[in-house]
Amino acid sequence: AELAKVRDRYDFILMDTNPSLTLLTINSLYAADYVLIPAFAEAASRDAIRELWDTIRGLKAYNPEMTLRVAGILITKFTSRNRSAKRYITVYEKMAKSMGGIVFSRKIRQGISVTEYLTSQMDLLKYDAYGNPSLDYKSFTDEFLQRIDTLEKGKGNG
């Protein structure tokens, strides 16, 4: 209800929730138009995505007017030399397709700055603006905006 009061003032409202399916996460899913799923290339993330998708389908079954869509999966802490990571990309592509989403082509590379900035009391982009993870997030922003634009234009077609 509170979000509805300010929704028209912003182009985007981003809600970053805990990966566990708490009441806050569930309420955020109800309020959201799109969900972005960050994932590591590992079994725990794969299982969490399955659980999230099951939850989203359950919420939509309970509330058919819910319009939430999966924008896509963003792979983070990515290391291209990791063969296992490449296999997970294939798995995530199949999962994303079944959810009506995509795997974003930009992957967020692993970098030491990602762990260091947490103690700096700065955001990552201020802490290490030119490190690989920061550059990846900046590039991802453009891809994400294009994806949302595509989804918004397609609303009338579905």
Side-chain angles (χ1 to χ4, degrees), residues 37 46 49-50 53 57 70 72-73 75 85-104 107 147:
I37 305 170
R46 179 200 60 215
I49 293 169
R50 285 182 181 145
W53 181 235
R57 288 187 301 184
V70 173
I73 298 172
I75 298 173
K86 292 176 183 178
R87 286 192 298 270
Y88 275 101
I89 291 172
T90 302
V91 169
Y92 291 157
E93 287 170 344
K94 291 177 184 172
M95 294 174 81
K97 185 176 181 179
S98 74
M99 295 184 282
I102 63 168
V103 172
F104 289 95
K107 314 293 184 262
R147 173 69 176 153

Side-chain angles (χ1 to χ4, degrees), residues 13-112:
I13 299 173
L14 303 174
M15 297 178 283
D16 184 9
T17 65
N18 190 310
S20 61
L21 293 172
T22 64
L23 185 58
L24 175 63
T25 306
I26 301 296
N27 286 333
S28 295
L29 291 170
Y30 266 115
D33 295 317
Y34 302 101
V35 63
L36 168 66
I37 305 170
F40 306 141
E42 59 187 39
S45 283
R46 179 200 60 215
D47 296 345
I49 293 169
R50 285 182 181 145
E51 185 178 355
L52 175 62
W53 181 235
D54 287 345
T55 300
I56 290 170
R57 288 187 301 184
L59 292 172
K60 285 183 163 193
Y62 180 74
N63 182 4
E65 295 168 15
M66 189 175 173
T67 60
L68 178 69
R69 294 180 66 186
V70 173
I73 298 172
L74 172 64
I75 298 173
T76 63
K77 294 187 178 180
F78 182 70
T79 304
S80 62
R81 295 180 306 272
N82 181 337
R83 283 183 252 177
S84 173
K86 292 176 183 178
R87 286 192 298 270
Y88 275 101
I89 291 172
T90 302
V91 169
Y92 291 157
E93 287 170 344
K94 291 177 184 172
M95 294 174 81
K97 185 176 181 179
S98 74
M99 295 184 282
I102 63 168
V103 172
F104 289 95
S105 61
R106 173 55 63 191
K107 314 293 184 262
I108 309 303
R109 290 172 282 181
Q110 178 66 45
I112 192 70

